[in-house]
Amino acid sequence: TELSKRGNTKEVWKELIDSGKLGYMALLRNLNNIIKAKPGNYNKALETLTNENLILKNKVLPFRYYSAYVSLKNNKLSTSSIFDALEKAVKISMKNVEQIKGTTLLAVDVSGSMMQKISRKSEISCCDIARILCAMANYVCENSIVVSFDNNLYKHSLATTNGILLNADSIGFSGGGTYCQLPLEYLLDEKIKVDRIIMLSDNMCNRSYTSGHIWEQRTPTQKLFNDYLNKINPNAFFHMIDIVGYGTSEVNINSDKVDFITINIHFTC
């Protein structure tokens, strides 16, 4: 309201930041405007951005930080302080997440279908959501292996000491088909033992995908997971995250070795 009345100016932003009435989400979504306006209390805005009480109280969804990060990357006035603040904020937001013990394979779907936007007005894609969730999971894993896939499999080296946002951004997008079986083939071919597989995908596979929560034995991913249980680790678990909410799965959701989670990330605005 103040911006509409008085304009996107240095003076207006200074007053808004000093007043303490600027909401946390409003601050996060207007970082670009604040940087361009160059208010004298810019550091105070960063202090608010990393205020633990505000972060935990507002329960900001992880992709909001990533969206701000992507936007600020293209702002020539952005400095290390703003990226440090964003990284600190996203790590604070994960304070209540327990460490994932053992070795985890994190697999991110970077196929063409994952590039759909989460809303008409957003520049964030389903793939972006999967990438940030993968980077966050990597941060809390005791030991992790990170891959992405479309028609091909891509290996990523994500150190937990890297920034979560930078790690998410480093997982490239290719736009090919959806072959959920590739991460399983990789584990079997290389004889790699993991305690769990976490896959973030829309499950829009090119062949034999299941719909309506009905599992079919012909799915290559399930067959390969069965092979993995028999040959490598009978105690492994498969956590399939249906990132878009279609309700399709490449693995048997009724199995005691499978955890199937559907989330609908689409927003109306």
Side-chain angles (χ1 to χ4, degrees), residues 68-114:
Y69 170 83
V70 171
S71 178
L72 289 163
K73 277 202 316 176
N74 299 319
N75 188 328
K76 295 179 181 180
L77 300 175
S78 297
T79 62
S80 58
S81 61
I82 184 64
F83 295 114
D84 285 343
L86 279 173
E87 187 61 36
K88 182 178 179 180
V90 76
K91 285 179 179 176
I92 290 173
S93 74
M94 296 182 62
K95 274 201 165 185
N96 64 334
V97 181
E98 295 181 6
Q99 186 185 55
I100 301 174
K101 299 294 185 179
T103 301
T104 304
L105 177 77
L106 298 168
V108 181
D109 183 350
V110 293
S111 64
S113 59
M114 289 285 284

Side-chain angles (χ1 to χ4, degrees), residues 19-73:
S19 71
K21 296 179 181 179
L22 184 63
Y24 190 83
M25 182 60 74
L27 171 63
L28 185 60
R29 296 182 70 174
N30 281 280
L31 288 174
N32 258 321
N33 288 328
I34 294 172
I35 289 174
K36 290 175 183 177
K38 299 180 181 179
N41 55 358
Y42 171 70
N43 286 336
K44 186 175 181 179
L46 296 187
E47 289 174 6
T48 302
L49 186 66
T50 56
N51 183 295
E52 183 170 340
N53 289 331
L54 289 176
I55 291 170
L56 299 179
K57 178 183 177 181
N58 283 274
K59 299 180 181 178
V60 176
L61 292 172
F63 82 88
R64 298 291 188 188
Y65 294 108
Y66 184 65
S67 178
Y69 170 83
V70 171
S71 178
L72 289 163
K73 277 202 316 176

Side-chain angles (χ1 to χ4, degrees), residues 200-219:
L200 299 123
S201 172
D202 60 4
N203 288 277
M204 294 297 288
C205 298
N206 290 298
R207 56 185 181 184
S208 302
Y209 75 87
T210 61
S211 60
H213 294 268
I214 299 173
W215 172 69
E216 299 176 19
Q217 181 62 37
R218 68 174 184 269
T219 60

Side-chain angles (χ1 to χ4, degrees), residues 29 63-64 115-126 264-269:
R29 296 182 70 174
F63 82 88
R64 298 291 188 188
M115 281 310 293
Q116 62 174 304
K117 305 301 181 184
I118 63 173
S119 77
R120 295 187 301 273
K121 297 182 180 180
S122 178
E123 291 301 314
I124 293 295
S125 69
C126 298
N264 193 329
I265 61 172
H266 289 290
F267 296 86
T268 56
C269 61

Side-chain angles (χ1 to χ4, degrees), residues 144-162:
S144 65
I145 300 167
V146 180
V147 299
S148 60
F149 62 91
D150 49 22
N151 298 83
N152 302 293
L153 188 81
Y154 311 94
K155 184 76 166 55
H156 302 281
S157 302
L158 303 190
T160 56
T161 52
N162 292 347

